[in-house]
Amino acid sequence: MRTDILELLERNAKLTAQEIAIYLDLPEAEVEAEIAELEKEQIICGYGAFINWGRTDSGLLTALIEVKVTPARGKGFNRIAERIYRFDEVKAVYLMSGAYDLAVIIEGRSLEEIALFVSDKLAPLESVLSTATHFVLRKYKDHGIIFNEKNADDERMIISP
C-alpha cells in the first residue's frame, strides 16, 4: 500500500486521500493515516508543482554544476554539501560517483546571474577544488513530466517517389 500511495502522489501531488482510496480500493481513513505516517517518517518530504518556466515571461535558466571538493576530515562530503545546499539558488545537490564529487543544480534569471553564483559563492568555498558549469538548453522530461509533447511528432520531411 505504501508504495502505491507514494507512486500516485509522485505522479500527482494534488490527489486527495479520498481519491487515492478510490484508486486503491482502500478505506479513506486508512489512506489518511498512512500518508500522515509517511510524512512523519519524512518519506514524503513535501508537495510541489512542476513548472515549465520556458513557457512563462519570467523564464529561468537551469544549470548543472560539477564540483570537485576535498572532503572534510571526519565529515566526508557532508559538511561541504550542507554549505552548498543552503544557498537559495541551489535546487538540488547530489553526491556522485565518477569524475566529480557533487552535482549542483541551480536556477537563475540569466547566464550572468549563474556565473556570479559560481564565481562569488561556490568556487571560493575552502573545500572546492574546481567547478564545471553546464546549462540546460531544453527540457524534454523532468520529474516524470514530458515537456512540449505536442511537438513530439516526427519532424522529418516526407519523401515520396
Side-chain angles (χ1 to χ4, degrees):
M1 171 177 65
R2 282 186 142 205
T3 302
D4 294 331
I5 291 171
L6 292 170
E7 287 174 354
L8 286 170
L9 286 173
E10 187 174 47
R11 273 188 255 132
N12 183 358
K14 289 176 65 175
L15 289 175
T16 65
Q18 180 183 21
E19 291 168 326
I20 293 170
I22 291 168
Y23 278 120
L24 301 178
D25 195 27
L26 295 168
E28 184 179 348
E30 190 176 329
V31 171
E32 286 175 344
E34 191 62 36
I35 291 172
E37 186 63 28
L38 290 164
E39 291 170 344
K40 181 180 173 189
E41 294 175 23
Q42 293 186 331
I43 293 170
I44 295 176
C45 301
Y47 300 88
F50 296 106
I51 298 165
N52 185 352
W53 288 106
R55 291 187 176 247
T56 68
D57 292 337
S58 60
L60 292 175
L61 297 172
T62 303
L64 181 144
I65 306 166
E66 299 175 358
V67 184
K68 290 184 183 179
V69 300
T70 302
R73 177 166 275 133
K75 297 267 186 181
F77 295 99
N78 295 344
R79 196 179 106 229
I80 188 66
E82 289 170 5
R83 295 235 7 234
I84 293 170
Y85 71 58
R86 294 195 188 284
F87 291 116
D88 291 335
E89 299 89 341
V90 174
K91 299 301 173 195
V93 177
Y94 304 104
L95 179 62
M96 305 297 292
S97 63
Y100 56 96
D101 303 308
L102 300 173
V104 178
I105 310 292
I106 70 166
E107 290 179 344
R109 301 216 181 278
S110 68
L111 295 173
E112 182 180 15
E113 186 176 304
I114 291 171
L116 285 172
F117 169 80
V118 174
S119 66
D120 293 353
K121 294 181 178 179
L122 184 60
L125 294 175
E126 72 278 350
S127 298
V128 172
L129 300 174
S130 67
T131 65
T133 304
H134 306 276
F135 290 94
V136 173
L137 301 177
R138 181 175 182 182
K139 287 185 182 180
Y140 293 101
K141 186 174 183 179
D142 192 6
H143 289 87
I145 308 224
I146 297 171
F147 291 88
N148 300 322
E149 190 169 22
K150 68 178 183 170
N151 296 331
D153 296 336
D154 192 348
E155 297 176 359
R156 294 178 290 180
M157 285 181 43
I158 298 173
I159 299 175
S160 61

